[in-house]
Amino acid sequence: MQRSSTNQLPASCDVSAQRPVRAGDGMAAVRKDGRGLPVTVRQFHPSDLLEVRRIFKAGLLRLPFLAFRHALLSPVAPTLVLTTGGATYAASRSMLWATLSIAGLLALIYLACWDIFARFVRNKLKDDMADIKGSYLDTPGAGFWVAEEEGGRSGLLGIVAAQPVEGETESCELLRLSVDRRFRRLGLGRRLTENILEFARAQGYRECLLHTTMVQEDALRVYGSVGFRVHKDYVPLPGQAFISWLTNIYLCELRYSLRPEAAYKMGNTE
């Protein structure tokens, strides 16, 4: 595990930090997205549950292919694939068996990438996403929000949540950020992130943290543009250290300081 400077994102996360959020930048209840649609961000209602679960699941299950591509660009997987193919050919003198061994290993790597995200989705759908009211709305210092087009004509557009961090009384964690695929790249992810920072300030938190994988480059760009900084890098997946090594998929822990003086310094680096 490597610890990075809190002033910039490391090359492993491959994100360029932009202007951080400042007081007064907060999200109003209704704004317009990139298509000119008036969008409302409101608290979760139990009637939203099915749509919320759909957006959460779809947002993560689009990642295995990206993770597979990420794995093939790392040193470990290609080395294993080439070594396996070469060893098989040397032992059998058969291009067919060498090709089959390579195809089989590639399939196993893809299945490992799929399992990372599918397992996470299964666990969370049985855990906090099965009882959002109890996990968030009834928990002090926590909350769950949804974005929708004003009037609800397009259904829910995105979701985000926050919870207190166990063992860190002055910190909250940003969770479950996901935007419906129809409305990605329109700034909704950033706006939902800003909503959490406003909530955190109002609750008196001094810091907001989050965890994401190095595969989720779009999310990392959003977090970097808002002002999050990497606190820990190359954190193995819980209970899956070998899979992290094989696929080169690790967690990043990012933190955002809510202290005014820290936010000022992040925005004034001269």
Side-chain angles (χ1 to χ4, degrees):
M1 183 186 303
Q2 301 174 349
R3 186 173 292 275
S4 306
S5 167
T6 57
N7 292 323
Q8 61 183 13
L9 297 176
S12 60
C13 285
D14 193 23
V15 186
S16 297
Q18 301 174 22
R19 182 185 64 84
V21 173
R22 301 186 182 93
D25 283 353
M27 180 169 29
V30 178
R31 287 187 184 173
K32 291 185 178 181
D33 69 5
R35 296 178 182 172
L37 296 175
V39 176
T40 300
V41 176
R42 59 169 175 80
Q43 185 172 272
F44 168 85
H45 186 273
S47 62
D48 300 323
L49 183 60
L50 290 179
E51 274 283 277
V52 164
R53 287 164 61 93
R54 178 190 64 80
I55 292 173
F56 169 72
K57 181 178 179 180
L60 286 168
L61 293 186
R62 70 183 180 89
L63 295 174
F65 177 76
L66 297 177
F68 180 62
R69 185 179 65 182
H70 177 82
L72 294 184
L73 294 175
S74 72
V76 174
T79 301
L80 285 175
V81 168
L82 292 175
T83 301
T84 299
T88 303
Y89 179 76
S92 66
R93 295 299 177 181
S94 169
M95 284 300 296
L96 175 61
W97 283 110
T99 302
L100 289 175
S101 67
I102 289 174
L105 184 54
L106 288 173
L108 287 175
I109 293 171
Y110 180 80
L111 287 175
C113 294
W114 172 267
D115 184 66
I116 289 170
F117 296 100
R119 180 182 302 188
F120 182 81
V121 168
R122 285 196 305 269
N123 290 342
K124 296 309 174 184
L125 288 178
K126 294 176 182 177
D127 189 18
D128 60 296
M129 297 296 285
D131 181 18
I132 292 175
K133 183 176 184 298
S135 299
Y136 295 98
L137 303 189
D138 295 340
T139 300
F144 199 106
W145 294 266
V146 300
E148 65 178 358
E149 181 186 356
E150 190 176 10
R153 291 183 295 274
S154 299
L156 298 186
L157 314 184
I159 62 174
V160 72
Q163 277 186 339
V165 177
E166 186 175 355
E168 298 187 35
T169 57
E170 295 186 330
S171 300
C172 68
E173 183 172 8
L174 184 154
L175 299 158
R176 310 297 172 255
L177 176 63
S178 187
V179 175
D180 187 280
R181 62 181 179 82
R182 300 169 297 166
F183 298 94
R184 290 181 187 141
R185 301 184 184 276
L186 298 175
L188 284 175
R190 179 186 174 102
R191 290 164 54 186
L192 288 167
T193 301
E194 292 174 352
N195 188 78
I196 293 297
L197 296 179
E198 286 189 354
F199 168 78
R201 288 191 183 95
Q203 291 290 313
Y205 289 116
R206 295 175 65 85
E207 192 172 45
C208 181
L209 66 86
L210 62 89
H211 296 89
T212 189
T213 66
M214 294 160 58
V215 174
Q216 294 165 269
E217 295 178 0
D218 289 345
L220 286 166
R221 290 190 189 96
V222 170
Y223 300 138
S225 74
V226 169
F228 278 89
R229 298 294 181 265
V230 171
H231 182 66
K232 295 179 182 177
D233 201 8
Y234 284 102
V235 180
L237 300 167
Q240 296 179 285
F242 173 76
I243 297 299
S244 283
W245 173 80
L246 176 64
T247 61
N248 196 36
I249 298 175
Y250 293 89
L251 294 175
C252 294
E253 179 182 308
L254 283 68
R255 291 180 178 249
Y256 183 97
S257 177
L258 293 158
R259 291 174 294 179
E261 64 274 16
Y264 177 80
K265 289 177 182 177
M266 283 193 284
N268 296 269
T269 55
E270 296 181 358

